Amino acid sequence: DSVKDSRRRSRATESSWPGRQGNQYTIRGVGGDEDDGTEIGEGGDEWMHGKTLIKPPDQLDLTEAELKEEFTRILTANNPHAPQNIVRYSFKERSYKPISSVDQLAVHFFLEGNLLHRDSDEARRQKAKQGLPDEKATVVTETEDEKLETPAAGGEEAGDVEEGGGEDGEQKLTNQFNFSERASQTLNNPLRERGCQTEPPPRASFSATANQWEIYDVYLEEMQKQEKNKEKAKAVPKKEDDKGKKKLTLSDDLTKVAKVAKIIERMVNQNTFDDIAQDFRYFEDASDEFREQEGTLLPLWKFQYDQAKRLSVTALCWNQSYKDLFAVGLGSYDFTKQGRGMLVFYSLKNSTYPEYNYPTTSGILCLDIHPDRPYLVAVGFYDGCVAVYNLKEERPEPVYKSSSKSGKHTDPVWQVRWQKDDMDNHQNFFSVSSDGRVVSWTLVKSELVFTDIIKLSLVGAVSEGPEACGTSFDFHKQINYLFLVGTEEGKIHKCSKAYSSQFLETYDAHNMAVDAVKWNQFHPKVFISCSSDWTVKIWDHTIRTPVFIFDLNAAVGDVAWSPYSSTVFAAVTADGKVHVFDLGINKYEAICQQPVVAKKKTKLTHIEFNPVYPIIIVGDDRGYVTSLKLSPNLRSKPKEKKGQELPRGPEVEIAKMEKLLSLLREPENSKA
Amino acid sequence: MCAEVEETLKRIQTHKGVIGTIVVNAEGIPIRTTLDNSTTVQYAGLLHQLTMKARSTVRDIDPQNDLTFLRIRSKKHEIMVAPDKEYMLIVIQNPSE
């Protein structure tokens, strides 16, 4: 192809290879050129002819001589890329030294192959693994039947082969690589959680202190329990006890506050009447020093009960055991105005409200508190009944009451007195009444048994003539059987319990009814009597005429000896005055005459001295009870001589009285 | 029995100078009062503690002894406390009236 050749030639000269301009190559790769050229050549033959030589602008301009210059090239085995000036630091010479030989190896291509040498260990192992199955597989591939067996057989025999192989030629090592692990998994039981929760125990916080007194309390309780057990072991258990206990537990809560409420009430009262309480305790009238002989009465508390208005105080009595407690009997002296009555107990600690009160159907005329058993009270009524109240009991009725069957009086009972317990340890008391009988009542279990002691009559001898009315009596303090009876006619009879038919003595005492007759607390022979005939008379029971007579200008309601002195006594009159006498100081006049009630119309009906404190209570016909404190002059004791200790005691009092009497006897004797 | 106690409490309340009464049970909780609630609670709480302390003092000195009542007199009035095994009664009184 001439066209092609021409083209080649033109190409050759045109070839511009930057950097190798001067080299000449004889290009002989026709086939290659053809490939290149055919694409362009066939289409642009005519265009190629017209092409002129184009010089790239940056081609080196070389002269012809330089173009023809020949350069020789030598092929060496050196790696043209290998560095030729590697320098290594030599520690020996302490400088950089060029390395003499440099590695000239150039790796053009690298491929990891998986061919093993047949004699290497790895190859042997592989052979051993695959040796037999390979042989067998090639044999048995033709038959289908044995195909199934072969994998299994192959598997088994592989194992055998392994072992066999181990034995045959090379030794097979049994290690972890050659074992086959077998495992099987069992079914895991499903897990189930079960729980149980109990109710938390109820909690309560508890705190206590261990004090000495708490320990003491516990010991006391233990002791009491033990005692109870002992008692139960002895006594037959009663069902009533249980019922009683049940009643207590069912009762309202407030009942337990009763005791505390009482204390508080007293405290409140004490506050309100604080000045009175202080006076009662501490006040001593200093002005008594200036008054020679006279004394005064300081008014203290005033006791009144709302429901007792319009009733008059008919009886007063101090309690012997509880010195601040006194009983007031309320009724009426008026014959026309007879109605109800009341038995009221007051304590000095609470003047606004009574401690106990018992309403009665009939007016009370007299009362007496048992000296040994302070809860037993004997009461005599206007309608002739006598009754005994037990303060310990809750009910408002009396424990015992006499009735018409059981010998009650037919007339008002004017005086009752407790006696000592009789032989059978029964309590008994006496009563005197206007029907002329003096009756002894004995408390036998639940009954009142009466015994007529004596019958009073107008004329000296008993059981003759019309009966006299007894209005008062008193028992001798020391001589038990001796007692005095005052009558409405004004006579006083001295009687003995033993002799029921005769009086021991009769005194023509007064012109009117004898309101009160009282033995002296110390002197065994002296007694006093008072009457509505305005007089108070003092007697020696051996003498038939009075030793002293005092005229008080008004009807005398009551008279009382003082418990601290044998010569002091007090009387109350209908004009509201209290008269206090001390025979040791003044034989003729009272050392104190004092009105104690506001209104002059009020009559004082009764008076009583407190056994311990220097106070007296006075009852009037309006239902009030006034308490008064005796000033020091009224309770004077004989002056002690210096250096001499003053003898105290009843003997002194007796002696005092005796002295008085002896003084009187002489003038009397002289008179007589 | 209960009516009597009620009557007694009423009498105390109507007594001259008494400002108020409180009945407190063993735990210090007021069960009856004539004052307003806040005052009652205050009195009950404080006096309960004081009474316990006083009682403890008395009994520590002599275990056979026991506290009967407690009076606190202040400028304005007097507080009276009467303790019991199960209850306590507090009364506030103006004594100078």
Side-chain angles (χ1 to χ4, degrees):
Chain A
D1 294 314
S2 63
V3 176
K4 287 187 185 176
D5 284 333
S6 64
R7 249 190 282 125
R8 264 184 248 124
R9 272 182 230 126
S10 63
R11 261 205 165 192
T13 52
E14 284 173 22
S15 68
S16 58
W17 207 0
R20 304 220 183 234
Q21 290 295 318
N23 297 345
Q24 280 182 347
Y25 282 91
T26 52
I27 297 167
R28 288 198 181 178
V30 179
D33 272 344
E34 272 186 1
D35 288 338
D36 287 328
T38 45
E39 292 176 34
I40 307 164
E42 289 177 355
D45 250 12
E46 294 170 343
W47 181 74
M48 285 300 288
H49 273 295
K51 201 175 178 189
T52 53
L53 275 172
I54 304 170
K55 258 191 189 180
D58 57 347
Q59 191 178 39
L60 270 176
D61 282 338
L62 293 173
T63 58
E64 295 261 351
E66 278 176 351
L67 283 170
K68 284 183 181 177
E69 202 177 320
E70 284 189 5
F71 288 89
T72 43
R73 291 191 137 238
I74 303 165
L75 283 172
T76 56
N78 285 346
N79 181 4
H81 292 292
Q84 282 154 5
N85 53 353
I86 294 178
V87 181
R88 288 260 154 81
Y89 185 76
S90 161
F91 284 94
K92 188 175 162 189
E93 285 157 52
R94 310 255 177 123
S95 64
Y96 285 96
K97 283 256 159 148
I99 296 175
S100 50
S101 59
V102 180
D103 195 11
Q104 302 290 328
L105 179 70
V107 178
H108 290 285
F109 179 74
F110 177 76
L111 172 69
E112 285 255 354
N114 50 5
L115 294 176
L116 300 165
H117 195 269
R118 60 193 291 135
D119 291 330
S120 71
D121 285 334
E122 184 70 31
R124 267 185 237 144
R125 268 185 251 130
Q126 276 191 12
K127 251 198 234 172
K129 271 190 198 173
Q130 295 160 7
L132 265 176
D134 282 342
E135 290 171 0
K136 280 242 168 168
T138 49
V139 170
V140 182
T141 44
E142 294 171 1
T143 50
E144 281 184 30
D145 295 343
E146 293 172 44
K147 268 185 186 176
L148 289 166
E149 292 176 17
T150 44
E156 284 174 12
E157 283 174 18
D160 295 337
V161 166
E162 282 173 16
E163 286 173 9
E167 287 169 13
D168 280 346
E170 302 97 0
Q171 277 231 328
K172 201 90 205 311
L173 294 168
T174 54
N175 58 11
Q176 62 191 26
F177 301 104
N178 297 330
F179 277 138
S180 74
E181 243 178 65
R182 279 198 190 182
S184 66
Q185 184 158 18
T186 56
L187 280 174
N188 286 333
N189 286 331
L191 290 174
R192 199 188 275 180
E193 213 177 278
R194 257 210 188 158
C196 203
Q197 188 168 21
T198 55
E199 250 183 57
R203 286 190 197 179
S205 67
F206 171 81
S207 70
T209 47
N211 282 332
Q212 192 187 2
W213 52 273
E214 291 211 8
I215 299 168
Y216 174 81
D217 274 348
V218 173
Y219 271 111
L220 262 185
E221 268 180 45
E222 265 301 310
M223 255 179 62
Q224 279 173 6
K225 266 188 201 172
Q226 277 179 11
E227 275 173 28
K228 261 191 186 176
N229 287 338
K230 277 186 197 169
E231 278 174 31
K232 273 187 184 175
K234 285 181 191 172
V236 180
K238 289 178 189 171
K239 284 184 186 177
E240 293 172 20
D241 289 336
D242 292 330
K243 280 184 192 170
K245 279 175 195 171
K246 277 182 191 171
K247 274 183 192 169
L248 284 170
T249 50
L250 283 174
S251 65
D252 200 344
D253 285 337
L254 269 184
T255 51
K256 288 167 197 167
V257 193
K259 194 182 159 207
V260 202
K262 208 173 193 180
I263 294 176
I264 280 268
E265 198 187 353
R266 288 185 179 183
M267 286 165 76
V268 167
N269 272 308
Q270 189 182 5
N271 269 347
T272 315
F273 300 111
D274 183 46
D275 44 354
I276 298 177
Q278 303 282 350
D279 284 344
F280 159 73
R281 246 329 183 143
Y282 303 114
F283 179 76
E284 301 292 352
D285 200 347
S287 60
D288 265 13
E289 288 174 32
F290 306 108
R291 277 180 277 218
E292 284 179 2
Q293 289 167 353
E294 288 172 6
T296 50
L297 296 167
L298 179 74
L300 296 173
W301 299 282
K302 204 167 184 194
F303 301 88
Q304 63 194 72
Y305 190 35
D306 277 345
Q307 295 176 18
K309 272 182 187 168
R310 291 193 220 131
L311 294 171
S312 49
V313 173
T314 52
L316 286 175
C317 186
W318 284 101
N319 193 312
Q320 300 297 320
S321 320
Y322 299 102
K323 306 291 191 316
D324 59 296
L325 189 65
F326 64 91
V328 180
L330 295 154
S332 174
Y333 281 124
D334 203 336
F335 180 69
T336 48
K337 288 183 197 167
Q338 281 305 316
R340 59 193 182 87
M342 213 173 243
L343 177 63
V344 182
F345 283 80
Y346 278 104
S347 163
L348 292 179
K349 296 174 186 168
N350 184 352
S351 60
T352 52
Y353 196 75
E355 302 290 314
Y356 306 93
N357 70 321
Y358 301 93
T360 58
T361 45
S362 156
I364 295 176
L365 278 185
C366 55
L367 63 88
D368 191 29
I369 301 178
H370 200 289
D372 299 325
R373 294 178 180 72
Y375 50 88
L376 283 179
V377 183
V379 174
F381 293 99
Y382 199 91
D383 62 359
C385 285
V386 290
V388 176
Y389 284 88
N390 188 334
L391 294 181
K392 280 189 185 174
E393 307 238 335
E394 300 268 332
R395 52 193 178 143
E397 302 96 39
V399 186
Y400 303 92
K401 193 162 183 184
S402 69
S403 57
S404 30
K405 277 191 227 167
S406 61
K408 82 172 183 110
H409 290 278
T410 49
D411 266 344
V413 180
W414 288 98
Q415 194 84 22
V416 285
R417 276 274 182 269
W418 282 104
Q419 303 299 307
K420 289 198 184 139
D421 286 359
D422 62 6
M423 308 279 271
D424 306 323
N425 280 340
H426 292 135
Q427 295 96 35
N428 64 336
F429 63 93
F430 275 57
S431 68
V432 68
S433 157
S434 299
D435 64 357
R437 287 162 54 217
V438 175
V439 183
S440 156
W441 305 84
T442 317
L443 274 66
V444 180
K445 286 195 183 174
S446 58
E447 281 187 335
L448 270 181
V449 178
F450 81 98
T451 338
D452 267 359
I453 296 295
I454 202 164
K455 274 211 172 105
L456 311 162
S457 65
L458 282 172
V459 194
V462 184
S463 69
E464 273 184 28
E467 278 150 11
C469 310
T471 51
S472 60
F473 70 171
D474 193 22
F475 284 82
H476 197 279
K477 303 284 180 267
Q478 283 93 32
I479 306 166
N480 210 4
Y481 54 85
L482 195 63
F483 65 96
L484 295 163
V485 182
T487 62
E488 213 173 289
E489 294 76 37
K491 291 205 173 83
I492 298 178
H493 303 281
K494 187 167 74 176
C495 323
S496 162
K497 282 193 212 172
Y499 296 101
S500 61
S501 51
Q502 224 181 17
F503 301 134
L504 292 173
E505 185 101 43
T506 310
Y507 308 88
D508 286 323
H510 293 273
N511 302 322
M512 289 179 72
V514 177
D515 281 329
V517 58
K518 298 247 170 87
W519 285 102
N520 188 303
Q521 309 243 4
F522 298 97
H523 202 284
K525 289 188 187 171
V526 178
F527 66 90
I528 195 170
S529 70
C530 76
S531 157
S532 313
D533 67 354
W534 296 9
T535 56
V536 171
K537 296 184 182 178
I538 298 180
W539 308 77
D540 182 332
H541 75 97
T542 50
I543 305 170
R544 298 195 77 186
T545 51
V547 182
F548 292 96
I549 303 175
F550 301 97
D551 192 333
L552 297 178
N553 288 327
V556 184
D558 196 9
V559 71
W561 287 106
S562 77
Y564 51 82
S565 171
S566 63
T567 51
V568 176
F569 66 92
V572 285
T573 56
D575 59 355
K577 278 195 193 165
V578 175
H579 305 257
V580 181
F581 289 81
D582 189 346
L583 298 172
I585 296 174
N586 190 334
K587 287 195 288 256
Y588 305 107
E589 276 179 352
I591 51 174
C592 173
Q593 282 182 10
Q594 187 171 325
V596 293
V597 276
K599 283 189 180 176
K600 282 213 167 168
K601 279 188 187 171
T602 10
K603 298 180 205 169
L604 297 174
T605 50
H606 279 277
I607 184 169
E608 285 290 336
F609 279 83
N610 184 303
V612 179
Y613 304 117
I615 62 172
I616 51 172
I617 43 170
V618 178
D620 61 20
D621 67 348
R622 290 178 132 260
Y624 298 144
V625 177
T626 318
S627 57
L628 303 144
K629 184 163 183 184
L630 300 158
S631 71
N633 271 351
L634 299 174
R635 25 190 183 97
S636 57
K637 299 243 160 87
K639 285 181 188 171
E640 59 259 32
K641 294 176 189 174
K642 280 186 188 176
Q644 241 185 13
E645 214 184 276
L646 193 67
R648 303 261 158 113
E651 298 85 28
V652 181
E653 305 295 330
I654 296 171
K656 215 173 22 167
M657 198 63 186
E658 194 54 45
K659 201 170 124 188
L660 262 175
L661 292 172
S662 61
L663 279 172
L664 285 168
R665 267 182 225 134
E666 284 183 19
E668 273 187 18
N669 287 337
S670 66
K671 273 184 191 172
Chain B
M1 200 30 199
C2 177
E4 239 184 68
V5 178
E6 294 269 0
E7 223 189 275
T8 310
L9 287 175
K10 208 169 87 175
R11 261 184 283 130
I12 294 171
Q13 180 54 34
T14 52
H15 200 91
K16 196 177 81 165
V18 170
I19 299 169
T21 52
I22 306 169
V23 179
V24 181
N25 74 349
E27 285 141 30
I29 301 167
I31 54 175
R32 213 182 223 234
T33 173
T34 56
L35 302 165
D36 60 278
N37 199 17
S38 56
T39 319
T40 303
V41 168
Q42 201 179 17
Y43 267 106
L46 294 167
L47 285 168
H48 182 71
Q49 291 174 32
L50 184 64
T51 315
M52 288 297 126
K53 189 74 186 170
R55 192 192 219 158
S56 184
T57 310
V58 167
R59 297 210 74 191
D60 267 344
I61 295 168
D62 178 8
Q64 290 181 336
N65 205 353
D66 196 7
L67 182 69
T68 314
F69 63 79
L70 189 65
R71 276 183 197 259
I72 305 161
R73 198 163 223 179
S74 69
K75 278 191 207 163
K76 291 191 185 170
H77 43 241
E78 179 163 343
I79 304 169
M80 295 175 274
V81 182
D84 191 39
K85 280 222 152 161
E86 295 181 25
Y87 292 92
M88 194 169 73
L89 202 58
I90 304 169
V91 171
I92 305 135
Q93 188 190 20
N94 195 343
S96 58
E97 256 184 49

